[in-house]
Amino acid sequence: ASIEVSTHEQKGTNFEEVISTEMRAQEFYQTQVTLLQNQALALLVMEKLDLANHPVMKELLFGDKKPGPVTRLKGMLKGLSKNLVEKLKVNNGKSAEPVALIRKEALKQQALLEFLNKNLVVTPSSNSMIIQVAFISPDRRLSQQIVNAFTEEFVHWNMEKKLEASRLAREFLMKQIDRAKINLERSEE
């Protein structure tokens, strides 16, 4: 999928303004590429597509054929917690309470995030303001769904930011108008 990003700014008329505007546009463009790779956006996509319960994702990450990332992470955490309990017993001379393990859902979410981050390909175009977004997985339909969800959530996220900025500006201006009215009324008295 492709996304066009634009700052919608007026172009300058002298050379310094053109260069300055171009630099800001490049910074904006790189920021958009980084935002597409943001963990918060990945979480929105995971929730939107319910990837934790998606059959392909279950098989890829949590299948029984060989230990997946979650199983390996669980094993590592069990080993670490066991060592920590033993050290606590030795250091305190008392029986230590078992260390609480990370919940299964948190492990699933972490594995899904790692999978998304590892397989999401965000490629900025060198000669335009277009960003290519792709996802690599064994299932073409899943890849398509994930790419579409990333682009849709990205566009929605940007629209929400703009709406919030407009709302804040409106509130500020309304306060300014109220102050001006009060000052006008005072000056008329």
Side-chain angles (χ1 to χ4, degrees):
S2 300
I3 298 176
E4 178 186 10
V5 292
S6 175
T7 58
H8 298 292
E9 289 185 17
Q10 296 290 330
K11 294 289 182 192
T13 54
N14 66 31
F15 182 73
E16 289 82 18
E17 289 174 353
V18 170
I19 297 299
S20 175
T21 302
E22 188 62 33
M23 293 298 290
R24 282 193 309 270
Q26 278 301 334
E27 289 170 356
F28 174 79
Y29 182 63
Q30 289 303 320
T31 300
Q32 301 308 299
V33 170
T34 302
L35 287 174
L36 271 163
Q37 298 167 326
N38 187 298
Q39 186 169 343
L41 186 61
L43 287 169
L44 290 172
V45 168
M46 284 172 40
E47 185 178 312
K48 178 179 184 172
L49 297 177
D50 192 21
L51 289 178
N53 296 314
H54 193 284
V56 174
M57 295 302 287
K58 280 183 172 181
E59 181 62 33
L60 283 172
L61 296 177
F62 315 115
D64 295 331
K65 294 178 183 170
K66 53 185 171 181
V70 172
T71 306
R72 290 193 305 269
L73 187 57
K74 275 187 194 177
M76 183 179 74
L77 289 173
K78 282 181 185 177
L80 288 173
S81 64
K82 197 179 225 183
N83 288 340
L84 184 58
V85 168
E86 291 302 317
K87 286 181 182 178
L88 287 172
K89 284 181 183 178
V90 170
N91 292 339
N92 296 336
K94 301 175 185 175
S95 175
E97 293 292 318
V99 178
L101 295 177
I102 297 174
R103 292 186 1 233
K104 186 178 179 180
E105 290 304 311
L107 291 172
K108 272 186 175 181
Q109 185 177 41
Q110 185 61 36
L112 285 166
L113 275 173
E114 288 174 10
F115 182 77
L116 287 176
N117 289 335
K118 188 173 93 175
N119 294 295
L120 180 69
V121 181
V122 178
T123 310
S125 176
S126 60
N127 57 356
S128 70
M129 297 301 273
I130 305 238
I131 301 170
Q132 297 291 328
V133 182
F135 190 81
I136 302 165
S137 82
D139 187 87
R140 290 176 61 178
R141 193 167 194 290
L142 175 65
S143 293
Q144 179 186 15
Q145 290 172 341
I146 290 174
V147 166
N148 288 342
F150 263 99
T151 55
E152 288 167 8
E153 290 300 317
F154 178 74
V155 169
H156 180 73
W157 198 17
N158 274 328
M159 287 174 46
E160 288 293 321
K161 286 190 305 185
K162 288 176 184 176
L163 286 172
E164 180 64 14
S166 296
R167 185 189 64 77
L168 290 172
R170 182 180 179 277
E171 286 178 9
F172 173 77
L173 291 173
M174 294 305 288
K175 287 178 184 175
Q176 293 295 93
I177 290 171
D178 290 342
R179 286 185 190 143
K181 283 180 183 177
I182 290 170
N183 288 338
L184 180 62
E185 289 171 3
R186 284 183 187 161
S187 67
E188 289 177 347
E189 292 176 358

